[in-house]
Amino acid sequence: MRVLGIESTCDETGVSIVDDGTRILSNVVLSQVPLHERFGGVVPEIASRAHVEAITRMVERAFAEADLPLPDGVSEANVDAIAVANRPGLVGSLLVGVTAAKSLSLAWNLPLVAVDHVQAHVYSVAMGFGDDVPEPIEFPAVALIVSGGHTSLYLAKSWTDHELIGSTMDDAAGEAFDKASAILGLGYPGGPAISKAAVDGDPKAVRFPRTLLEPESLDFSFSGIKTSVLYHVKGQNARRATPSREISVPDTAASFEQAVCDVLTKKVARAVKKTGVKTAVVGGGVAANGRLRRELEAYGEKHGVVIRYPALKLCTDNGAMIAGLGDCL
Ligand code: KG4
Ligand code: ZN
């Protein structure tokens, strides 16, 4: 079965065609970063308008990249269903993707499937480009979803049965990267900018707090570390208008990144211990972070836990994970 997947929950317009739920035939993603970066974050009204302008073109490109003719409503459609992310997300952005998907399903007489965006991030570890499909996952598994809008831990019993076992009490992990990056003047999106700056930094240079909450807690809190970065850069109570000259940006970036990765790894370890599972899956934009991958890998090797990530291109928002999970529903 071939599924067309549409993603428009936030600031990426993604359209993809996926075969058998795992083989990605095409995956086109239009990032709106250039439209939002001067505001330091996503502006919902700009986002929905940009989705409207892009969506038809992206559907056409997804068919072209998959080497399939665009359905004309008369002959064979070449895809068997349409999947669309309909939750959670920015309401105006969601509306564009859902309206496009409904219109195409009516025009082409195809079934329409509604997909949860966060569950789709978990599913992204099952997918590959062309024939490069990863090994199946062993359930139950712990799933950590770390993105700009979400930081949650699930006990996943299957691709579609997820029990929430931990979530953030304030900022999401990606949001913490974005805010720390803004404080350091490194730009948006913060994750890749911090990682790049951190390459030449010493992760032990600044001792930022690791907020782990109660000893058994699987919840997260990143507001403390964000404030610590602010005070470190701009002085106690953020009184300095500009960063002090003595601050090393690479050391601050590396120390911040290390602190966030330590917390995420520790929480995965707690979740694995509590649930007794043998596999942990990590998805979402922050799953692209090299330091996080290394930390989790080291933990997994030491404790005999299989750690699974999506391909780098599938960490941030995309239509492929929507089409893939849509095939399972
Ligand atoms: O999954 P995603 O595209 O959107 C949401 O569903 O929110 O994630 C975007 C987030 C941004 O906050 C961005 O800073 C973060 O993922 N991100 C990273 C990296 N690449 C993207 N964070 C840390 N390291 C990265 N390499
Ligand atoms: Zn996402």
Side-chain angles (χ1 to χ4, degrees):
M1 173 149 126
R2 247 183 236 151
V3 179
L4 176 79
I6 298 182
E7 156 63 35
S8 73
T9 60
C10 188
D11 63 339
E12 263 108 16
T13 318
V15 184
S16 167
I17 297 176
V18 172
D19 202 13
D20 279 340
T22 50
R23 294 178 60 243
I24 301 168
L25 305 182
S26 68
N27 182 41
V28 294
V29 180
L30 183 67
S31 163
Q32 300 177 2
V33 164
L35 299 178
H36 300 291
E37 68 186 335
R38 70 191 168 104
F39 302 103
V42 178
V43 183
E45 182 55 31
I46 295 177
S48 31
R49 199 172 297 225
H51 285 304
V52 171
E53 285 165 5
I55 193 91
T56 313
R57 199 163 21 105
M58 298 302 280
V59 170
E60 288 168 358
R61 279 185 47 198
F63 276 92
E65 202 181 274
D67 236 346
L68 292 170
L70 195 68
D72 58 12
V74 183
S75 35
E76 187 78 22
N78 281 313
V79 288
D80 305 290
I82 297 176
V84 61
N86 77 335
R87 64 195 185 278
L90 300 172
V91 71
S93 293
L94 284 168
L95 198 59
V96 179
V98 169
T99 306
K102 279 185 174 175
S103 311
L104 293 175
S105 94
L106 272 174
W108 296 339
N109 195 26
L110 293 172
L112 180 66
V113 188
V115 172
D116 181 298
H117 174 90
V118 181
Q119 279 195 346
H121 270 303
V122 179
Y123 187 81
S124 61
V125 301
M127 312 189 70
F129 291 87
D131 292 326
D132 196 11
V133 174
E135 292 280 299
I137 293 284
E138 228 175 81
F139 288 109
V142 157
L144 171 72
I145 297 305
V146 267
S147 70
H150 313 277
T151 296
S152 314
L153 269 167
Y154 297 89
L155 175 60
K157 293 157 197 163
S158 71
W159 290 126
T160 51
D161 183 358
H162 297 179
E163 181 193 334
L164 184 68
I165 54 174
S167 55
T168 182
M169 301 169 77
D170 39 58
D171 294 348
E175 194 181 350
F177 270 94
D178 294 337
K179 289 177 176 169
S181 176
I183 294 166
L184 286 167
L186 294 172
Y188 175 83
I194 292 263
S195 289
K196 198 168 159 214
V199 168
D200 299 321
D202 173 6
K204 293 203 176 93
V206 192
R207 185 73 200 162
F208 287 125
R210 275 83 170 147
T211 308
L212 296 170
L213 305 169
E214 298 297 312
E216 299 274 301
S217 172
L218 299 178
D219 290 328
F220 303 84
S221 168
F222 292 107
S223 64
I225 185 168
K226 179 186 68 187
T227 309
S228 299
V229 173
L230 183 69
Y231 287 0
H232 175 71
V233 174
K234 300 213 168 167
Q236 200 61 26
N237 297 324
R239 287 217 186 88
R240 275 197 295 268
T242 49
S244 154
R245 251 185 271 136
E246 293 97 68
I247 302 297
S248 155
V249 171
D251 283 354
T252 310
S255 303
F256 165 81
E257 190 178 52
Q258 187 66 51
V260 173
C261 294
D262 284 352
V263 170
L264 295 175
T265 306
K266 182 83 190 163
K267 293 287 175 168
V268 168
R270 277 186 187 177
V272 166
K273 198 166 169 202
K274 204 165 181 170
T275 57
V277 302
K278 285 269 156 266
T279 304
V281 169
V282 191
V286 183
N289 187 276
R291 196 182 301 267
L292 179 62
R293 289 180 176 227
R294 287 195 298 277
E295 291 293 338
L296 283 169
E297 213 61 70
Y299 152 75
E301 260 170 42
K302 195 164 165 200
H303 295 271
V305 180
V306 177
I307 310 285
R308 292 283 298 269
Y309 315 95
L312 276 181
K313 271 193 196 159
L314 299 179
C315 289
T316 43
D317 293 347
N318 62 83
M321 63 184 191
I322 307 300
L325 184 57
D327 196 308
C328 303
L329 296 170

